[in-house]
Amino acid sequence: MQFTVTDAPTRERFEARDEAGAVAGVVTYQLTGNVIAYTHTEVDPEFEGKGVGSTLARAVMDDARAKGRTVVPICPFLSEWLVKHPEYEGIVARSTRKVK
């Protein structure tokens, strides 16, 4: 199954859609200047286990890299995904301070 990921900036989220156009999952974000905080990943139960989360994670990280943004991974799913994908480490903000 193929999913298309697009940015919906007015809703502050990326959306993954299936071939029929149904929303399979989303990653929400907050953009401040050149810093993007990915706050939540949600996959529709109908699409769980079909790679939607990973497709979204790769798409949002590739988008941030292409736009020269620094990523703050607040979302636990994305944080875990990044552990397995060190190729994105260069654009991820790592800090022990809490985001205000």
Side-chain angles (χ1 to χ4, degrees):
M1 186 172 270
Q2 290 286 89
F3 299 99
T4 304
V5 178
T6 54
D7 187 5
T10 57
R11 301 181 80 182
E12 293 187 310
R13 70 185 200 174
F14 283 85
E15 301 173 340
R17 294 180 182 269
D18 68 3
E19 293 96 339
V23 175
V26 299
V27 171
T28 58
Y29 64 82
Q30 293 175 336
L31 181 62
T32 306
N34 212 28
V35 176
I36 190 159
Y38 293 122
T39 53
H40 182 66
T41 302
E42 188 170 325
V43 175
D44 186 285
E46 180 184 339
F47 295 98
E48 284 181 5
K50 297 184 178 170
V52 177
S54 293
T55 299
L56 275 163
R58 187 169 303 283
V60 302
M61 292 305 295
D62 286 345
D63 183 79
R65 181 187 280 158
K67 293 177 178 166
R69 291 179 174 156
T70 299
V71 172
V72 179
I74 295 169
C75 167
F77 172 82
L78 187 61
S79 294
E80 280 297 309
W81 186 88
L82 284 167
V83 169
K84 299 177 191 116
H85 295 86
E87 65 269 26
Y88 293 103
E89 192 62 34
I91 63 168
V92 176
R94 296 286 181 203
S95 174
T96 55
R97 291 180 293 131
K98 288 186 177 178
V99 176
K100 293 181 181 173

